Amino acid sequence: MKEYICTVCGYIHKGELPPDFVCPVCGAGRDAFREVGAEEERAVPAQKPHLERELDAMEMSIICSNLARGCEKQYMADESAKFATLAGFFRSKAQSSGGASVKNEQWLADRDLKENFPYAMETAKLAGDRGAQRSLVWAEKVTNMLRSLLARYEEEGDAMLEKTGVYVCTVCGFIFVGDAPPEICPVCKVPSWKFERQYGRTK
């Protein structure tokens, strides 16, 4: 009997996956599952998978926001507030992409999963940075979940978000669509009170 593993939370499903199957633990769709034992076609790039360039305002805002969260978790309130202020500044300078689409977001997620994460993980391993490795494992799982949600949204459209909630783990960024967040985050294992409900759309 075939077994399939969820690339987000590690849940094992025995038997074939129905077309509308969703993970009972994290809610990831069928596309987030991989057959146990199957080789994954993903080679570590020999060179950096991106060109050196200056980060744009939105990217700087995201980095500063993440640093603010990291400082908050380490009880560094002053530093957290300063990074949050920087995040707000860069966000105010960011221009709307205007061309955002589900297909483009899927392409970006796929590129991260196939190129950027393998390169970053190999770099972290060579440097012996276990903290970076753990963060990358979490980020890769979250990206797998995002990819799954994008695939679902492409099929269902806005109906997917009607009469339900969207919750984001404030520690690892895991996204959950459902009536209430899971009792424990499937990725980083923090309790449900660490989730924040999202309202409305991001402009």
Side-chain angles (χ1 to χ4, degrees):
M1 178 184 294
K2 289 185 177 180
E3 293 185 345
Y4 296 86
I5 186 169
C6 177
T7 56
V8 177
C9 68
Y11 170 78
I12 301 289
H13 174 80
K14 295 183 178 180
E16 294 298 330
L17 293 169
D20 58 348
F21 185 80
V22 294
C23 178
V25 175
C26 69
R30 184 179 190 273
D31 59 292
F33 281 76
R34 301 289 178 266
E35 186 177 348
V36 174
E39 290 294 323
E40 189 174 353
E41 295 181 15
R42 190 177 74 168
V44 177
Q47 298 178 347
K48 288 184 180 180
H50 55 80
L51 298 175
E52 296 291 347
R53 61 175 176 79
E54 185 175 337
L55 298 176
D56 63 34
M58 183 55 74
E59 290 170 326
M60 288 297 296
S61 176
I62 292 168
I63 289 171
C64 289
S65 179
N66 287 340
L67 288 169
R69 290 279 188 182
C71 289
E72 179 186 350
K73 303 307 175 195
Q74 298 178 61
Y75 304 103
M76 300 165 66
D78 290 343
E79 292 83 352
S80 178
K82 289 174 182 176
F83 277 123
T85 299
L86 282 172
F89 169 78
F90 283 115
R91 186 173 185 84
S92 71
K93 301 299 180 184
Q95 298 184 11
S96 173
S97 63
S101 68
V102 173
K103 285 290 186 188
N104 186 56
E105 297 301 317
Q106 288 174 329
W107 178 82
L108 290 170
D110 285 338
R111 185 181 65 176
D112 279 344
L113 292 168
K114 293 176 182 175
E115 299 177 13
N116 295 336
F117 280 122
Y119 179 83
M121 183 61 79
E122 187 64 22
T123 301
K125 285 180 180 177
L126 290 172
D129 191 337
R130 296 179 64 189
Q133 290 177 59
R134 181 174 64 172
S135 296
L136 286 165
V137 167
W138 287 0
E140 186 171 12
K141 289 181 177 184
V142 169
T143 303
N144 271 311
M145 185 64 190
L146 178 60
R147 182 65 177 80
S148 177
L149 289 172
L150 287 168
R152 185 176 158 198
Y153 185 80
E154 189 176 29
E155 290 183 9
E156 301 177 27
D158 288 340
M160 167 186 162
L161 303 175
E162 290 177 1
K163 299 179 181 178
T164 191
V166 177
Y167 301 87
V168 177
C169 176
T170 59
V171 175
C172 70
F174 171 74
I175 305 167
F176 183 80
V177 177
D179 295 333
E183 290 185 13
I184 296 176
C185 177
V187 173
C188 68
K189 313 305 180 192
V190 297
S192 61
W193 61 269
K194 289 285 190 179
F195 279 75
E196 288 183 354
R197 183 165 185 174
Q198 307 300 304
Y199 295 93
R201 291 178 176 270
T202 301
K203 299 295 183 183

